[in-house]
Amino acid sequence: MRIAIIGAGMAGLTCATRLTENGHEVTVFDKGRGPGGRMATRRVEHEGETFRFDHGAQYFTAREMAFQTQVRAWEADGIVAPWPAAKEGAWVGTPGMNAPIRAMAEALNVQFATRVSALVRERGGWRLEGEGLADASFDAVVVAVPAEQVAPLLAGHAPDLAEDARDVTSEPCWTAMVAFEGRVDAPDTLTDEGAIGWAARNSAKPGRDTDRECWVIQASPRWSRAQLEREAENVGEELLAHFARAVGDLPPVLFSTAHRWRYAKCEKNDAGALWDAGLSIGVCGDWLSGPRIENAFLSGLALARRIAG
């Protein structure tokens, strides 16, 4: 089949990889400028300096055999490494958190900067409409985006799947990215410090530039929800103030910015993946499995198996 996958995060790319291995012709579409999703890495050029921040997921773990096997393969390729400073069994992408996603995308047909706004049923198949799309017709469609973005795409064609997505709530997360002139006198990671849910010395992760003192400061879900619609600049300044209260005096700031993850962490779900064989529409993502990166992988894998089956 010719299959379109909307979303180039872990779930979508895992599903695309397995379907391609099964002989299907797969095209992946993503509205972003590059791969990553919530495993994103931000590269910033500022006043002649280059700073990098893993501003989404900070690490991942591998509990299930299928994902452990994949992680070992990534380790052999040099694109992941253990990071025990986070916790026992923690892994990160190297040299950035998005390294595994980039490697998966490079082996597939992925069209970035392409926003799919609608699905149109025609002649037993599907046509995709949206920004940056040419005439794109497919036998089947997989939607691999956050639950809150699934419902608008599927409501007119697969109301049951859309309703499943509407029932899911994701927690937001405001994230500050800060580069300092000198070293911050603090452990490499901090958790649950008032408004701060997590903070990490990004430059301490394996494979990073240790000459740059770069920090990622993520607010707690409760604090993020209360500040959800504020301007990023103001939120970033306030998070930095909370960080200073937690660790003490800070070195001069070279660069800072903030990013709002409106759909950062989903609740636990046991569905795994959804596939309507009659409509040839499938849905996968961590919101169908659980909030960890491994859940997204397993969801994409499960959907590929259902389609193949």
Side-chain angles (χ1 to χ4, degrees), residues 266-284:
C266 61
E267 57 196 19
K268 184 76 174 75
N269 194 326
D270 296 324
L274 304 173
W275 171 243
D276 188 319
L279 291 172
S280 294
I281 288 181
V283 185
C284 61

Side-chain angles (χ1 to χ4, degrees), residues 170-193:
S170 298
E171 294 283 8
C173 179
W174 270 110
T175 298
M177 293 159 271
V178 189
F180 296 97
E181 189 174 289
R183 184 176 175 85
V184 175
D185 185 14
D188 288 342
T189 65
L190 297 171
T191 57
D192 299 327
E193 290 283 348

Side-chain angles (χ1 to χ4, degrees), residues 222-233:
R222 181 178 179 180
W223 193 90
S224 296
R225 202 180 310 114
Q227 320 299 325
L228 191 60
E229 303 303 335
R230 291 181 59 193
E231 295 293 327
E233 181 179 358

